Coordinates of all heavy atoms in Angstrom, one line a residue:
R13 N 36.7 -55.0 67.7 CA 36.1 -54.0 66.8 C 36.8 -53.9 65.4 O 38.0 -54.1 65.3 CB 36.2 -52.6 67.5 CG 35.2 -52.5 68.7 CD 35.3 -51.2 69.3 NE 34.8 -50.1 68.5 CZ 34.4 -49.0 68.9 NH1 34.4 -48.7 70.2 NH2 33.9 -48.1 68.1
F14 N 36.0 -53.6 64.4 CA 36.5 -53.3 63.1 C 35.6 -52.3 62.4 O 34.5 -52.0 62.9 CB 36.8 -54.6 62.3 CG 35.5 -55.3 62.0 CD1 34.8 -55.1 60.7 CD2 34.9 -56.2 62.9 CE1 33.7 -55.8 60.4 CE2 33.8 -56.9 62.6 CZ 33.1 -56.7 61.3
E15 N 36.2 -51.7 61.4 CA 35.4 -50.7 60.6 C 35.1 -51.3 59.2 O 35.9 -52.0 58.6 CB 36.2 -49.4 60.5 CG 36.3 -48.7 61.8 CD 37.1 -47.4 61.7 OE1 37.8 -47.3 60.7 OE2 37.0 -46.6 62.6
K16 N 34.0 -50.9 58.7 CA 33.6 -51.3 57.4 C 32.9 -50.2 56.7 O 32.0 -49.6 57.2 CB 32.6 -52.5 57.5 CG 32.0 -53.0 56.2 CD 32.8 -54.3 55.7 CE 32.0 -55.0 54.6 NZ 32.2 -54.3 53.3
M17 N 33.4 -49.9 55.5 CA 32.8 -48.9 54.6 C 31.6 -49.5 53.9 O 31.7 -50.5 53.2 CB 33.8 -48.3 53.7 CG 33.4 -47.0 53.1 SD 34.6 -46.4 51.9 CE 35.8 -45.6 53.0
Q18 N 30.4 -48.9 54.1 CA 29.2 -49.4 53.4 C 28.3 -48.3 52.9 O 28.3 -47.2 53.4 CB 28.4 -50.2 54.5 CG 28.9 -51.5 54.9 CD 27.9 -52.3 55.8 OE1 27.6 -51.8 56.9 NE2 27.5 -53.4 55.3
R19 N 27.6 -48.7 51.9 CA 26.6 -47.8 51.4 C 25.5 -47.7 52.5 O 25.2 -48.6 53.2 CB 25.9 -48.3 50.1 CG 26.8 -48.2 48.9 CD 26.1 -48.4 47.6 NE 27.0 -48.5 46.5 CZ 27.6 -49.6 46.2 NH1 27.3 -50.8 46.8 NH2 28.5 -49.7 45.2
I20 N 24.8 -46.5 52.5 CA 23.8 -46.3 53.5 C 22.6 -47.3 53.2 O 22.0 -47.8 54.2 CB 23.2 -44.8 53.3 CG1 24.3 -43.9 53.8 CG2 22.0 -44.6 54.2 CD1 24.1 -42.5 53.3
S21 N 22.4 -47.7 52.0 CA 21.3 -48.6 51.6 C 21.7 -50.0 51.9 O 20.8 -50.9 51.9 CB 21.0 -48.4 50.1 OG 22.1 -48.6 49.4
E22 N 22.9 -50.3 52.2 CA 23.4 -51.7 52.5 C 22.9 -52.2 53.8 O 22.8 -51.4 54.8 CB 24.9 -51.8 52.4 CG 25.4 -52.4 51.2 CD 27.0 -52.4 51.2 OE1 27.5 -53.4 51.7 OE2 27.6 -51.5 50.7
E23 N 22.5 -53.5 53.9 CA 22.1 -54.1 55.1 C 23.4 -54.1 56.1 O 24.5 -54.3 55.6 CB 21.7 -55.5 54.9 CG 20.4 -55.7 54.2 CD 19.2 -55.4 55.1 OE1 19.2 -56.0 56.2 OE2 18.3 -54.6 54.7
P24 N 23.2 -54.0 57.3 CA 24.3 -54.1 58.3 C 24.8 -55.6 58.3 O 24.0 -56.5 58.1 CB 23.7 -53.8 59.6 CG 22.2 -53.7 59.5 CD 21.9 -53.6 58.0
L25 N 26.1 -55.7 58.5 CA 26.7 -57.0 58.5 C 26.1 -57.8 59.7 O 25.9 -57.3 60.8 CB 28.2 -56.9 58.7 CG 29.1 -56.4 57.5 CD1 30.5 -56.5 58.0 CD2 28.9 -57.2 56.3
K26 N 25.9 -59.1 59.5 CA 25.5 -60.0 60.6 C 26.6 -60.9 61.0 O 26.6 -61.5 62.1 CB 24.2 -60.8 60.2 CG 23.0 -59.9 60.1 CD 21.8 -60.7 59.9 CE 20.5 -59.9 59.9 NZ 20.3 -59.2 58.6
E27 N 27.6 -61.1 60.1 CA 28.6 -62.1 60.4 C 30.0 -61.5 60.0 O 30.1 -60.6 59.1 CB 28.2 -63.3 59.6 CG 29.2 -63.9 58.7 CD 28.7 -65.2 58.0 OE1 27.9 -66.0 58.6 OE2 29.2 -65.5 56.9
C28 N 31.0 -61.8 60.8 CA 32.3 -61.3 60.7 C 32.9 -61.7 59.4 O 32.9 -62.9 59.1 CB 33.1 -61.7 61.9 SG 34.8 -61.2 61.8
P29 N 33.5 -60.8 58.5 CA 34.1 -61.2 57.3 C 35.4 -62.0 57.6 O 35.9 -62.7 56.7 CB 34.4 -59.9 56.6 CG 34.4 -58.9 57.6 CD 33.5 -59.4 58.7
N30 N 35.9 -62.0 58.8 CA 37.2 -62.6 59.1 C 36.9 -64.0 59.7 O 37.5 -65.0 59.2 CB 37.9 -61.7 60.2 CG 39.3 -62.1 60.4 OD1 40.0 -62.5 59.4 ND2 39.8 -61.9 61.6
C31 N 36.1 -64.2 60.7 CA 35.9 -65.5 61.3 C 34.5 -66.0 61.3 O 34.2 -67.1 61.8 CB 36.3 -65.3 62.8 SG 35.1 -64.4 63.8
H32 N 33.6 -65.2 60.6 CA 32.2 -65.6 60.4 C 31.5 -65.7 61.8 O 30.4 -66.3 61.9 CB 32.0 -66.9 59.6 CG 32.6 -66.8 58.2 ND1 32.0 -66.1 57.2 CD2 33.8 -67.2 57.7 CE1 32.8 -66.1 56.2 NE2 33.9 -66.8 56.4
G33 N 32.0 -65.1 62.8 CA 31.4 -65.0 64.1 C 30.3 -63.9 64.0 O 30.1 -63.2 63.0
Q34 N 29.5 -63.8 65.1 CA 28.4 -62.9 65.1 C 29.0 -61.5 65.4 O 29.9 -61.3 66.2 CB 27.5 -63.3 66.3 CG 26.1 -62.9 65.9 CD 25.1 -63.3 67.0 OE1 25.4 -63.3 68.2 NE2 23.9 -63.6 66.6
V35 N 28.5 -60.5 64.6 CA 28.9 -59.1 64.8 C 27.7 -58.2 65.1 O 26.5 -58.6 64.7 CB 29.6 -58.5 63.6 CG1 30.9 -59.3 63.4 CG2 28.8 -58.5 62.4
H36 N 27.9 -57.1 65.8 CA 26.8 -56.1 65.9 C 27.4 -54.8 65.6 O 28.6 -54.5 65.8 CB 26.1 -56.2 67.2 CG 27.0 -56.1 68.4 ND1 27.4 -57.2 69.1 CD2 27.5 -55.0 69.0 CE1 28.2 -56.8 70.1 NE2 28.3 -55.5 70.1
R37 N 26.6 -53.9 65.0 CA 27.0 -52.6 64.6 C 27.0 -51.7 65.8 O 26.0 -51.6 66.5 CB 26.1 -52.1 63.5 CG 26.7 -50.9 62.8 CD 26.2 -50.8 61.4 NE 24.9 -50.2 61.3 CZ 24.3 -49.9 60.1 NH1 24.9 -50.2 59.0 NH2 23.1 -49.3 60.1
M38 N 28.1 -51.0 65.9 CA 28.1 -50.0 67.0 C 27.4 -48.7 66.5 O 27.2 -48.5 65.3 CB 29.6 -49.6 67.3 CG 30.5 -50.8 67.4 SD 30.3 -51.7 68.9 CE 31.1 -50.6 70.1
I39 N 27.1 -47.8 67.5 CA 26.5 -46.6 67.1 C 27.6 -45.8 66.4 O 28.7 -45.6 66.8 CB 26.0 -45.8 68.3 CG1 24.8 -46.6 68.9 CG2 25.7 -44.4 68.0 CD1 24.4 -46.1 70.3
S40 N 27.2 -45.3 65.2 CA 28.2 -44.7 64.3 C 28.7 -43.4 64.8 O 28.0 -42.6 65.4 CB 27.5 -44.4 62.9 OG 28.4 -43.8 62.1
K41 N 30.0 -43.2 64.6 CA 30.6 -42.0 65.0 C 30.6 -41.0 63.9 O 31.1 -39.9 63.9 CB 32.1 -42.2 65.4 CG 33.0 -42.7 64.3 CD 34.4 -43.1 64.9 CE 35.2 -43.8 63.8 NZ 36.3 -44.5 64.3
N42 N 29.9 -41.4 62.8 CA 29.9 -40.5 61.6 C 28.5 -39.8 61.5 O 28.0 -39.5 60.4 CB 30.1 -41.3 60.3 CG 31.5 -41.9 60.3 OD1 32.5 -41.1 60.5 ND2 31.6 -43.1 60.0
V43 N 27.9 -39.6 62.6 CA 26.5 -39.1 62.6 C 26.5 -37.7 62.0 O 25.5 -37.3 61.4 CB 26.0 -39.0 64.1 CG1 24.6 -38.3 64.1 CG2 25.9 -40.4 64.6
G44 N 27.6 -37.0 62.1 CA 27.7 -35.6 61.6 C 27.9 -35.5 60.1 O 28.0 -34.4 59.6
I45 N 28.0 -36.6 59.4 CA 28.2 -36.5 57.9 C 27.1 -35.7 57.3 O 25.9 -35.8 57.6 CB 28.1 -38.0 57.4 CG1 29.5 -38.7 57.7 CG2 27.9 -38.0 55.9 CD1 29.5 -40.1 57.2
V46 N 27.5 -34.9 56.4 CA 26.5 -34.1 55.6 C 26.2 -34.8 54.3 O 27.0 -35.1 53.5 CB 27.1 -32.7 55.3 CG1 26.0 -31.9 54.4 CG2 27.4 -31.9 56.5
F47 N 24.9 -35.2 54.2 CA 24.5 -36.0 53.0 C 24.0 -34.9 52.0 O 23.2 -34.1 52.3 CB 23.4 -36.9 53.4 CG 23.8 -38.0 54.3 CD1 23.4 -37.9 55.7 CD2 24.6 -39.0 53.9 CE1 23.8 -38.9 56.6 CE2 25.0 -40.0 54.8 CZ 24.6 -40.0 56.1
K48 N 24.5 -35.1 50.8 CA 24.0 -34.2 49.7 C 22.9 -35.0 49.0 O 23.0 -36.1 48.7 CB 25.2 -33.9 48.7 CG 26.4 -33.4 49.4 CD 26.4 -31.9 49.4 CE 27.6 -31.3 50.0 NZ 27.5 -29.9 50.3
G49 N 21.9 -34.2 48.6 CA 20.9 -34.8 47.8 C 19.5 -34.2 48.1 O 19.4 -33.4 49.0
S50 N 18.5 -34.6 47.3 CA 17.3 -33.9 47.3 C 16.6 -34.0 48.7 O 15.9 -33.0 49.1 CB 16.4 -34.4 46.3 OG 16.3 -35.8 46.4
G51 N 16.8 -35.1 49.4 CA 16.2 -35.2 50.7 C 16.7 -34.3 51.8 O 16.1 -34.2 52.8
F52 N 17.8 -33.6 51.5 CA 18.4 -32.7 52.5 C 18.2 -31.2 52.2 O 18.9 -30.4 52.7 CB 19.8 -33.1 52.7 CG 19.9 -34.5 53.3 CD1 20.0 -35.6 52.5 CD2 19.9 -34.6 54.7 CE1 20.0 -36.9 53.0 CE2 19.9 -35.9 55.2 CZ 20.0 -37.0 54.4
Y53 N 17.3 -31.0 51.3 CA 17.0 -29.6 50.9 C 16.7 -28.7 52.1 O 17.2 -27.6 52.2 CB 15.9 -29.5 49.9 CG 15.6 -28.1 49.5 CD1 16.4 -27.4 48.6 CD2 14.5 -27.4 50.0 CE1 16.2 -26.1 48.2 CE2 14.2 -26.1 49.6 CZ 15.0 -25.5 48.7 OH 14.8 -24.2 48.4
K54 N 16.0 -29.2 53.0 CA 15.5 -28.5 54.2 C 16.8 -27.9 55.0 O 16.8 -26.7 55.4 CB 14.7 -29.3 55.1 CG 13.8 -28.6 56.0 CD 13.0 -29.5 56.9 CE 12.4 -28.7 58.0 NZ 11.8 -29.5 59.1
T55 N 17.8 -28.7 55.1 CA 19.0 -28.3 55.8 C 19.7 -27.2 55.0 O 20.1 -26.2 55.6 CB 20.0 -29.5 55.9 OG1 19.3 -30.6 56.4 CG2 21.1 -29.2 56.9
D56 N 19.7 -27.3 53.7 CA 20.3 -26.3 52.9 C 19.6 -25.0 53.1 O 20.3 -24.0 53.3 CB 20.1 -26.7 51.4 CG 21.2 -27.7 51.0 OD1 22.2 -27.9 51.7 OD2 21.0 -28.3 49.9
S57 N 18.3 -25.0 53.0 CA 17.6 -23.7 53.1 C 17.7 -23.1 54.5 O 17.8 -21.9 54.6 CB 16.2 -23.8 52.6 OG 15.4 -24.5 53.6
Q58 N 17.9 -23.9 55.5 CA 18.1 -23.4 56.9 C 19.4 -22.7 56.9 O 19.6 -21.6 57.5 CB 18.0 -24.5 57.9 CG 16.6 -24.8 58.3 CD 16.5 -26.0 59.3 OE1 17.6 -26.6 59.5 NE2 15.4 -26.2 59.8
E59 N 20.4 -23.3 56.3 CA 21.8 -22.7 56.3 C 21.7 -21.4 55.6 O 22.3 -20.4 56.0 CB 22.8 -23.6 55.6 CG 23.4 -24.6 56.5 CD 24.0 -24.0 57.7 OE1 24.8 -23.1 57.6 OE2 23.6 -24.4 58.8
R60 N 21.0 -21.3 54.4 CA 20.9 -20.1 53.7 C 20.2 -19.0 54.5 O 20.6 -17.9 54.5 CB 20.2 -20.3 52.4 CG 21.1 -20.2 51.2 CD 20.4 -20.6 49.9 NE 20.6 -22.0 49.7 CZ 19.8 -22.8 49.0 NH1 18.7 -22.3 48.5 NH2 20.1 -24.1 48.8
A61 N 19.1 -19.4 55.2 CA 18.4 -18.5 56.1 C 19.3 -17.9 57.1 O 19.3 -16.7 57.4 CB 17.2 -19.2 56.7
K62 N 20.2 -18.7 57.7 CA 21.1 -18.3 58.7 C 22.1 -17.3 58.1 O 22.5 -16.3 58.7 CB 21.9 -19.5 59.3 CG 21.2 -20.2 60.4 CD 22.1 -21.2 61.1 CE 21.4 -22.4 61.4 NZ 22.3 -23.6 61.7
D63 N 22.6 -17.6 56.9 CA 23.5 -16.7 56.2 C 22.9 -15.3 56.0 O 23.5 -14.3 56.3 CB 24.0 -17.2 54.9 CG 25.0 -18.3 55.0 OD1 25.6 -18.5 56.1 OD2 25.2 -19.0 54.0

Side-chain angles (χ1 to χ4, degrees):
R13 288 180 69 158
F14 64 95
E15 292 180 340
K16 176 100 168 77
M17 199 183 275
Q18 285 187 297
R19 288 191 190 87
I20 294 159
S21 56
E22 257 178 86
E23 289 283 311
L25 291 182
K26 289 192 175 73
E27 123 177 334
C28 176
N30 196 35
C31 73
H32 301 286
Q34 212 178 32
V35 296
H36 54 263
R37 194 151 82 175
M38 315 285 286
I39 291 166
S40 177
K41 62 189 173 193
N42 296 311
V43 176
I45 284 178
V46 177
F47 297 104
K48 305 265 181 197
S50 54
F52 294 88
Y53 177 75
K54 203 180 164 193
T55 314
D56 280 346
S57 73
Q58 275 175 355
E59 273 310 303
R60 249 173 270 152
K62 274 189 221 163
D63 283 346

